[in-house]
Amino acid sequence: MKNTFGQSIAVTIFGESHGDAIGAVIDGLCPGIEVDLDFIDAQLSKRRPSGKTDTPRVEKDNYSILSGVFEGKTTGTPIAIVIPNENTKSADYQYGKARPSHADYSAYCKYHGFEDYRGGGHFSGRITASIVAAGAIAMKALEKINIKIGTHILECAGVRDNAFDNISAEIDALASAKFPVLDIDKGDKMIAQIEDARMDTDSVGGILQTAIYGIPAGVGEPWFDSVESILSHALFSVGGVKGIEFGAGFDMAKMRGSQANDAFEIKGGKITTKTNNNGGINGGITNGMPIVLNLAIKPTPSIAKEQDTVDFTSGEQVTLQIKGRHDPAIVRRACVVVDSVCALAVADMIAQRYGTDIFLKGIK
């Protein structure tokens, strides 16, 4: 099992949903970076369930930083973050009946029955709390070099939000949004649809749109370590992500080259493009425009409706009605997770391009 992502700046995650704790280790951050505990708390609160659109399972996320931080600054050694699990109900889970669209059966095939199945174990969305805590440190480091990241719900249950336009200001507004959309009225309609799904013992998915603003041109590699490759690698590690597109994405297949191409221009003494159909990336390398990407998020697979499945321990065809505490939609809580994953991936790419001390010296 490989649980580490990154080259210059690497993050390793550990833990299970109903184990004693989950956590992350960040290795490679330079010394002297400020660690803002209030910001970590704020980021974790965005991921925490809140209201009828989310699971009733609420964890306090009383994290501890065990190493790598002294007097509010990174020391340059590995940062170990531990978050205890305090609100578990393991009796809701039984082994053998494969929950549709979950990892129960595939985990059994790989780990031969030794996996911790409670609450999904290591495959649970609960593990993303440690990614959010680690990502909060990376996001603050990126802010020091004027890179910021934001995600909103572009579409949910047939309701579509506005796309990013005035990206810098919209990212700032999303930082304090209770429900991460650009149009509040559209957000209210999404919430109503999510609640309808919950009342019907069902769930809904959606599309998230993320913008990475302020990243300089020249970051990334061609071919196998392209910016698209690295971000996709990281983002597909988030449970529920089933598709990704950059810029105009699949809509580019409907265009002619004259429509899809981003014409270059000089604006205010800076080279930029008139459009951003390529999502800020050419040849696998950033071109100085904002990176914009969309993620398809599947409906939460844990639903209370009766479903056909198998008991893989007995080899029998059975039915299953899932019990426990689950989200009718994960799109709201997933936004901060996506921000965090992108922050860790971008911080690693920046460090590979400029060196790890860039977060103190700045980009010249």
Side-chain angles (χ1 to χ4, degrees), residues 136-329:
I137 296 174
M139 286 185 75
K140 277 299 181 181
L142 290 171
E143 283 183 11
K144 294 295 184 181
I145 53 174
N146 301 314
I147 297 173
K148 53 187 177 181
I149 302 170
T151 299
H152 71 107
I153 306 168
L154 180 62
E155 185 174 321
C156 179
V159 181
R160 194 169 180 89
D161 191 20
N162 301 331
F164 275 121
D165 182 26
N166 185 9
I167 293 178
S168 179
E170 287 165 344
I171 289 176
D172 291 341
L174 286 169
S176 58
K178 290 185 178 180
F179 193 80
V181 290
L182 303 180
D183 185 324
I184 295 174
D185 290 337
K186 299 288 180 60
D188 290 340
K189 292 178 181 178
M190 290 180 191
I191 291 170
Q193 291 296 318
I194 294 170
E195 291 184 353
D196 282 349
R198 180 181 63 84
M199 293 299 293
D200 196 31
T201 63
D202 216 329
S203 63
V204 294
I207 300 172
L208 305 184
Q209 185 175 59
T210 299
I212 303 167
Y213 184 87
I215 190 166
V219 174
E221 302 288 342
W223 301 108
F224 303 114
D225 286 333
S226 68
V227 173
E228 296 103 324
S229 301
I230 297 300
L231 285 170
S232 297
H233 180 181
L235 288 165
F236 272 116
S237 68
V238 179
V241 173
K242 301 305 290 185
I244 188 168
E245 61 179 357
F246 291 84
F250 284 96
D251 284 341
M252 292 183 81
K254 307 171 188 176
M255 302 177 185
R256 290 190 171 187
S258 57
Q259 298 170 305
N261 289 345
D262 297 314
F264 284 98
E265 65 178 350
I266 296 178
K267 202 171 185 179
K270 181 182 177 181
I271 295 177
T272 183
T273 60
K274 293 183 179 180
T275 54
N276 195 21
N277 290 325
N278 287 276
I281 306 164
N282 295 133
I285 299 169
T286 57
N287 63 17
M289 293 293 286
I291 297 174
V292 180
L293 59 92
N294 295 343
L295 291 173
I297 307 294
K298 71 178 183 181
T300 314
S302 293
I303 58 175
K305 289 184 179 298
E306 187 173 86
Q307 301 174 81
D308 291 329
T309 189
V310 297
D311 186 324
F312 51 76
T313 59
S314 65
E316 297 176 312
Q317 186 79 46
V318 295
T319 59
L320 173 67
Q321 191 168 17
I322 296 175
K323 298 179 180 180
R325 301 164 294 172
H326 307 288
D327 298 86

Side-chain angles (χ1 to χ4, degrees), residues 16-22 56-60 83-93 116 118-121 124 126 324-325:
E16 290 80 32
S17 178
H18 288 203
D20 290 339
I22 59 172
R57 178 183 176 181
V58 180
E59 292 280 5
K60 296 178 181 178
I83 307 174
N85 293 321
E86 300 175 315
N87 185 9
T88 59
K89 289 186 177 180
S90 300
D92 288 334
Y93 298 88
D116 184 344
R118 301 168 301 168
S124 171
R126 170 65 184 150
R325 301 164 294 172

